[in-house]
Amino acid sequence: MREVVLETPGDFAEWRAAARGLLAAGVPPEAVSWRGAGEGASLFGDAGTASAEASVSVSRELLVIADRVICHRDAEVPARLYRIVWRAARDQQLLARRTDADIDWLMKADKAIRRDIHKMHAFVRFRRIGDDAGRERFAAWFEPSHRILRLTAPFFQRRFTGMDWAIVTPDARAIWADDELRFGPGGTRDEVPVSDVVEDQWRTYYGAIFNPARVKIAAMRAEMPKKYWHNLPEAQDIAPLLAGAEARVERMRAEAVSMANPRTEKWRTRVAETGTPTDEVATLGELAHAVDRCTRCPLHCDATQGVAGEGPQGARIMVVGEQPGDQEDLQGRPFVGPAGQLLDAALDEAGIDRRRIFLTNAVKHFKFQPRGKRRIHQTPTAGEIDVCRWWLDKERALVQPELIVTLGASALRGVTGKSASIASMRGAVHALEGGAKLVATVHPSYLLRLPDRERAAREREAFVADLARARKLAA
Amino acid sequence: MSKPNLLSKLAILADAAKYDASCASSGTIKRDSTATGGIGSTEGMGICHSYAPDGRCISLLKILLTNFCVYDCRFCINRASSNVPRARFDPQEVVRLALDFYKRNYIEGLFLSSGIIRSEDYTMEQLVEVARLLREEHRFQGYIHLKTIAGADPALIALAGIYADRLSTNVELPTEAGLANFAPEKKPATIRKTMASVRTREAEVLDAAKSRLIGKAKPPRFAPAGQSTQMIVGADAARDDDILKSAANLYSGYRLRRVYYSAYSPIPDASSDLPPVRPPLMREHRLYQADWLLRFYGFERAEIMAGAQGGMLDLAIDPKLAWALQRREAFPVDINCAPREMLLRVPGLGTRAVDRIIGARRLGKLRLADLGKITVSVKKLLPFILTPDWRPGMLTDSADLRARFAPPPEQLALAL
């Protein structure tokens, strides 16, 4: 029986050196007895000399876990960890065997340590002990369940770099001062001041943020176990707050609704009335405002905003699309998304300056189906297009274009009021009531959806040709 | 500033903030003070530093800059016509409180909201100023959550996102009608536009970062913890279905990290048409569960509502179980060969348990005892799963399956 004495419980380097030697010497776990310094020696132990020749390798992940678990207070930890590394050296898959008894134990112990670390990050409470030339000094007393101070101190160092601090625990202390993190021996509670001036403010806050109408004691206790309470200045208020909660809620219920406070009228400036949407619009600017407030169909309920047309009032060409897409809905401008970029490039090739034409849509609100983090475009119904023609007609009346280019079937219906196939209308020039001409072509988003690259290229050429024809007609 | 004055202001302005459910301090980038020599860090996972007896975590100093407000939203304690005592912090006071609390490890950072004073823009400027002071004058690296005031200038929103980790704009009521009725000055369109401007700004900053010249320093992220919102549950007549529909739209449209559901709590000095009842905490809980099913479990809203009645979720059992009871033909599920999306639909299996099952079953068949090491409660799974040593038999189809899970009926008090 080999005997290993660990001087410092929770010291990973010491355990690791011993375990390495034992692994290299091929000592099986059942032939090792681990004990802490000061514990009675076993009758059959021999100290043996550990060779530091490391020839056995275990996974990095296991070492990281062992580094944490060695801090566990369970006296069996060094021996169990050794058995696990012994087995891991012979079974590459060991860590993945969540249902193995040793690994199950390891994971539970690791979880306990990680929880303990988390609670220490949360429940340490510093108290101010003074300041040196503007640099404040703080101290805290804390009793973690396990020997985790060395695991938590770096967190406090990263977070509280700009002040000096000490955390004293029964096992050890950590001190951050002069740009150096030092560890020292354990201490006692009375090394740390009993209160701090800010604690009154903190307790006031704690009492005020508590909602007496929602008492959930079990939820509080699950996350903030009682063993930590004696460290928390706010914990002394829990009982009185709970005791008064019912009465506070009752008082709220019993109090009849009071009259509106007359004093508020003095400082209350009226919020500008947006007024009811009026349909009387004389300019494109007024029209854009009116479109944004439109509630003629339910599409406005889910969309961000109504997107009116964009372009000069005297534009010769009016390009009509289907409806705003995701980007148009967010930015409040027509044709700024992927289809808009394709249209821009095509207009360029056809020799049309986007700034000199009027761009709009048959439907002014984005219709979509939510799908996780994306909004899937939905084709507007004939009914929705017909309701929205009200706005399209107003835009046509204000802009008076000579030529209207419709992109896709919805736009065609928006302008003509009839459903016709694009194929039947394409390539010809149609006369509209009021004297304008109509050229029908596809919607750029159709080009984006074509999977076959050759066909997409052909269709794109045809689209540019349609636009070029429109430019000549309006010249 | 005399001391008691600060205490009473703090009491008023924290009390006014407690109706905002959000207290998350997670999901932002990693930062610390090692390089700056200042105070503060964020490490991705937020920390709850305390818990109030209402079961809510306290992770941020959650306060209002002022509870004066020109709006008159009837569900709100701070509405213009309310008789609540009023107070106002100046930005320096908030900065000092936040730093004092932070240095003592009481909090992860600051959550700052405000009533609307003078104008939306003026209010937003004040909020941004506090965040600027913390970041620029005090090298504060902790978490900052700012409320964006709906209707404020997008330029101010852009500035807020430079200093804040998270921005939030509250929808408050899930339906257009509810908002028109209870909050006449709040316009849903304005709220949505504000959210849209946060999302577009986020995208612009990301694009700028991607297209920058090599060697140039990385520009700061815009609101790295994203944006969130809150809906009040139970103040108006909206049903769970309306609420989830609204949430789905918000998640998809504005890439929200979270929608918070806040059970309407009675407020002092309430408006007469509001329910003076206990807050519907269970309803709130079920909505969160449904929200999780939508986001992490691959459920569609229609599926969740199949287990509901009249557009309201079942309060007695969780929505996943309610769905499973409607769809018994899909069960039992074989733990050792079912695909991930089907395991996610087993009542009692969470995302983590499913990941562990998939990892463990590669190394050998899982038996019932093995599941005990992976999940918390095997008993709940029994009617819905198959393992080599367990078959539910008739249990899956038994008529009293719902009764097995639903809480026992309460004994009515007998009149003497």
Side-chain angles (χ1 to χ4, degrees):
Chain A
M1 182 59 91
R2 188 72 74 85
E3 181 159 282
V4 181
V5 180
L6 296 174
E7 293 297 327
T8 323
D11 181 342
F12 185 63
E14 187 188 10
W15 175 88
R16 185 179 178 174
R20 248 197 200 150
L22 292 166
L23 282 177
V27 183
E30 54 275 15
V32 189
S33 132
W34 299 79
R35 67 182 180 85
E39 289 174 33
S42 119
L43 291 173
F44 311 104
D46 81 78
T49 46
S51 66
E53 290 301 308
S55 58
V56 185
S57 66
V58 289
S59 75
R60 182 158 179 76
E61 188 192 357
L62 177 55
L63 282 181
V64 170
I65 295 175
D67 181 25
R68 286 195 294 258
V69 171
I70 199 74
C71 300
H72 203 290
R73 279 197 205 277
D74 182 348
E76 290 297 303
V77 162
R80 288 202 82 156
L81 274 181
Y82 180 61
R83 188 163 80 211
I84 289 166
V85 294
W86 169 271
R87 289 183 58 203
R90 285 153 185 77
D91 174 2
Q92 291 300 314
Q93 292 286 342
L94 185 68
L95 259 194
R97 298 184 200 284
R98 286 300 168 97
T99 54
D100 175 276
D102 276 337
I103 298 304
D104 185 42
W105 169 86
L106 180 74
M107 292 303 165
K108 288 200 167 85
D110 188 34
K111 195 172 171 183
I113 294 292
R114 280 182 292 123
R115 182 176 162 88
D116 202 31
I117 290 171
H118 188 79
K119 293 301 175 197
M120 181 159 176
H121 289 168
F123 298 142
V124 159
R125 296 285 184 261
F126 283 115
R127 285 174 174 152
R128 195 166 177 276
I129 46 182
D131 70 288
D132 271 337
R135 192 173 168 92
E136 291 181 291
R137 300 203 329 273
F138 291 86
W141 164 253
F142 194 76
E143 295 163 77
S145 302
H146 302 286
R147 305 180 184 94
I148 55 166
L149 183 63
R150 71 174 173 85
L151 299 176
T152 54
F155 162 85
F156 290 102
Q157 180 193 326
R158 288 191 299 273
R159 174 161 291 197
F160 301 110
T161 317
M163 64 194 210
D164 289 354
W165 52 262
I167 300 175
V168 185
T169 77
D171 309 299
R173 71 185 59 205
I175 297 165
W176 168 252
D178 309 320
D179 276 344
E180 195 190 354
L181 182 63
R182 295 194 310 274
F183 290 93
T188 55
R189 173 193 302 276
D190 52 23
E191 294 180 64
V192 171
V194 292
S195 70
D196 182 302
V197 285
V198 176
E199 279 174 15
D200 281 350
Q201 292 169 17
W202 172 236
R203 288 174 55 194
T204 300
Y205 174 71
Y206 184 80
I209 205 75
F210 160 59
N211 183 346
R214 311 177 45 117
V215 173
K216 282 190 176 178
I217 307 172
M220 168 185 74
R221 280 208 168 158
E223 299 295 341
M224 195 164 81
K226 262 196 132 157
K227 66 178 174 195
Y228 296 108
W229 288 16
H230 63 267
N231 246 328
L232 306 171
E234 66 273 27
Q236 58 195 298
D237 299 319
I238 292 172
L241 284 171
L242 280 171
E246 195 58 41
R248 276 172 70 189
V249 178
E250 270 315 312
R251 230 187 355 264
M252 271 192 265
R253 277 201 212 117
E255 268 175 10
V257 179
S258 56
M259 297 298 293
N261 188 337
R263 282 171 312 160
T264 56
E265 292 304 327
K266 283 192 200 138
W267 50 260
R268 192 179 172 205
T269 48
R270 283 266 150 225
V271 178
E273 274 296 320
T274 40
T276 45
T278 164
D279 292 336
E280 294 310 308
V281 294
T283 65
L284 286 171
E286 284 174 16
L287 182 128
H289 274 293
V291 162
D292 189 22
R293 289 197 305 259
C294 175
T295 55
R296 292 168 167 265
C297 80
L299 290 185
H300 75 276
C301 291
D302 298 331
T304 303
Q305 51 201 328
V307 181
E310 184 179 85
Q313 184 136 358
R316 284 177 164 183
I317 302 178
M318 181 184 230
V319 175
V320 184
E322 182 183 62
Q323 65 166 346
D326 183 64
Q327 284 302 317
E328 290 80 6
D329 171 82
L330 293 170
Q331 297 177 39
R333 295 180 52 207
F335 291 103
V336 290
Q341 280 156 11
L342 198 157
L343 176 68
D344 283 352
L347 286 170
D348 233 21
E349 284 173 47
I352 300 175
D353 182 353
R354 175 174 165 147
R355 286 163 307 182
R356 297 185 55 187
I357 59 171
F358 191 83
L359 283 159
T360 187
N361 284 301
V363 172
K364 306 294 192 232
H365 278 106
F366 179 34
K367 184 182 182 184
F368 64 92
Q369 201 40 273
R371 184 90 36 91
K373 287 185 180 172
R374 296 177 49 230
R375 297 190 286 184
I376 311 297
H377 159 277
Q378 298 249 288
T379 306
T381 61
E384 283 154 352
I385 295 168
D386 294 347
V387 168
C388 217
R389 178 168 321 111
W390 164 265
W391 295 116
L392 191 59
D393 286 348
K394 283 211 177 299
E395 284 175 330
R396 281 170 64 185
L398 285 169
V399 177
Q400 298 279 341
E402 291 164 38
L403 180 92
I404 297 179
V405 182
T406 59
L407 311 177
S410 298
L412 194 54
R413 188 182 172 94
V415 173
T416 63
K418 293 190 280 287
S419 287
S421 75
I422 296 174
S424 67
M425 304 278 286
R426 203 170 178 182
V429 181
H430 306 269
L432 289 168
E433 273 179 49
K437 292 179 242 151
L438 170 90
V439 168
T441 180
V442 295
H443 194 280
S445 64
Y446 158 78
L447 305 176
L448 288 171
R449 283 196 298 265
L450 289 171
D452 180 38
R453 288 178 64 172
E454 261 179 55
R455 187 167 161 220
R458 271 203 313 278
E459 287 284 352
R460 193 172 178 285
E461 271 171 41
F463 180 59
V464 173
D466 283 337
L467 293 175
R469 187 172 325 112
R471 180 176 58 89
K472 289 195 187 84
L473 284 167
Chain B
M1 268 311 135
S2 57
K3 271 251 159 12
N5 195 0
L6 183 78
L7 277 188
S8 64
K9 277 195 204 181
L10 178 61
I12 291 169
L13 294 168
D15 190 287
K18 74 176 170 218
Y19 300 98
D20 215 308
S22 165
C23 198
S25 50
S26 298
T28 190
I29 40 172
K30 284 192 171 212
R31 300 188 287 264
D32 61 41
S33 297
T34 316
T36 64
I39 293 288
S41 66
T42 50
E43 310 215 337
M45 275 289 286
I47 299 171
C48 299
H49 286 270
S50 190
Y51 285 82
D54 53 18
R56 283 183 166 173
C57 111
I58 298 175
S59 126
L60 304 171
L61 168 62
K62 187 163 38 174
I63 44 177
L64 262 55
L65 196 57
T66 175
N67 64 339
F68 284 100
C69 191
V70 295
Y71 287 3
D72 206 19
C73 311
R74 280 180 309 166
F75 50 78
C76 181
I77 172 97
N78 307 315
R79 68 186 183 284
S81 60
S82 155
N83 287 293
V84 73
R86 309 272 175 176
R88 180 177 175 180
F89 278 130
D90 69 58
Q92 292 286 1
E93 285 176 312
V94 177
V95 167
R96 226 201 63 221
L97 265 176
L99 289 174
D100 278 349
F101 281 10
Y102 197 91
K103 285 174 184 167
R104 284 152 183 81
N105 204 36
Y106 300 158
I107 52 169
E108 282 294 279
L110 174 69
F111 174 120
L112 189 62
S113 176
S114 180
I116 317 280
I117 41 172
R118 293 197 212 170
S119 72
E120 289 82 0
D121 282 353
Y122 174 80
T123 310
M124 194 72 229
E125 271 170 22
Q126 294 282 302
L127 296 179
V128 170
E129 176 59 9
V130 173
R132 189 196 66 79
L133 284 169
L134 277 168
R135 292 275 191 246
E136 290 183 354
E137 312 269 304
H138 296 277
R139 293 174 300 173
F140 177 67
Q141 297 278 35
Y143 193 94
I144 298 179
H145 178 152
L146 287 186
K147 184 64 65 187
T148 47
I149 307 298
D153 191 310
L156 286 168
I157 307 279
L159 201 54
I162 291 172
Y163 300 121
D165 288 286
R166 171 166 286 181
L167 299 173
S168 64
T169 319
N170 283 2
V171 176
E172 303 297 17
L173 294 178
T175 63
E176 196 104 5
L179 211 52
N181 179 15
F182 285 96
E185 294 104 339
K186 274 192 186 243
K187 295 278 178 273
T190 314
I191 296 171
R192 289 199 291 263
K193 271 184 206 158
T194 303
M195 287 183 180
S197 73
V198 171
R199 190 189 141 188
T200 42
R201 183 70 201 152
E202 218 168 325
E204 280 167 16
V205 172
L206 270 177
D207 285 346
K210 273 184 204 145
S211 61
R212 73 187 195 280
L213 295 169
I214 294 166
K216 273 262 176 80
K218 235 188 176 156
R221 290 273 309 271
F222 177 86
Q227 59 173 335
S228 64
T229 191
Q230 163 171 298
M231 282 191 252
I232 298 172
V233 178
D236 63 347
R239 297 162 316 145
D240 292 346
D241 196 21
D242 304 323
I243 294 173
L244 290 173
K245 181 170 183 278
S246 181
N249 282 338
L250 295 170
Y251 278 126
S252 65
Y254 313 110
R255 308 276 159 90
L256 296 184
R257 293 286 182 93
R258 275 291 289 278
V259 172
Y260 288 91
Y261 305 99
S262 180
Y264 174 72
S265 286
I267 49 173
D269 192 32
S271 159
S272 58
D273 55 354
L274 283 162
V277 290
R278 295 194 169 278
L281 296 182
M282 189 44 101
R283 189 179 168 198
E284 178 193 279
H285 178 58
R286 295 289 181 234
L287 279 166
Y288 275 120
Q289 288 177 314
D291 182 276
W292 247 246
L293 293 182
L294 288 174
R295 290 193 299 141
F296 307 118
Y297 290 78
F299 277 74
E300 294 285 332
R301 186 169 54 94
E303 291 178 302
I304 293 171
M305 290 333 274
Q309 289 200 318
M312 295 296 275
L313 297 166
D314 193 329
L315 292 180
I317 54 175
D318 70 82
K320 197 195 216 182
L321 180 62
W323 171 84
L325 292 177
Q326 298 286 331
R327 294 285 317 276
R328 294 191 202 201
E329 71 281 3
F331 296 100
V333 167
D334 189 332
I335 288 291
N336 285 297
C337 59
R340 185 166 195 275
E341 40 282 1
M342 203 54 224
L343 287 175
L344 284 172
R345 291 183 172 242
V346 175
L349 285 183
T351 48
R352 266 162 112 180
V354 168
D355 289 342
R356 281 191 195 143
I357 286 170
I358 288 170
R361 73 186 184 183
R362 289 197 189 109
L363 304 167
K365 278 228 183 287
L366 296 180
R367 307 176 76 79
L368 216 47
D370 298 330
L371 284 182
K373 289 176 182 152
I374 285 174
T375 68
V376 186
S377 165
V378 175
K379 204 171 148 209
K380 188 173 181 182
L381 305 176
L382 290 179
F384 304 103
I385 60 163
L386 280 176
T387 61
D389 56 342
W390 167 257
R391 300 191 152 280
M394 297 305 292
L395 187 56
T396 311
D397 297 322
S398 65
D400 65 348
L401 195 50
R402 187 176 187 282
R404 284 171 62 99
F405 293 105
E410 280 180 47
Q411 167 111 35
L412 291 172
L414 294 173
L416 286 171

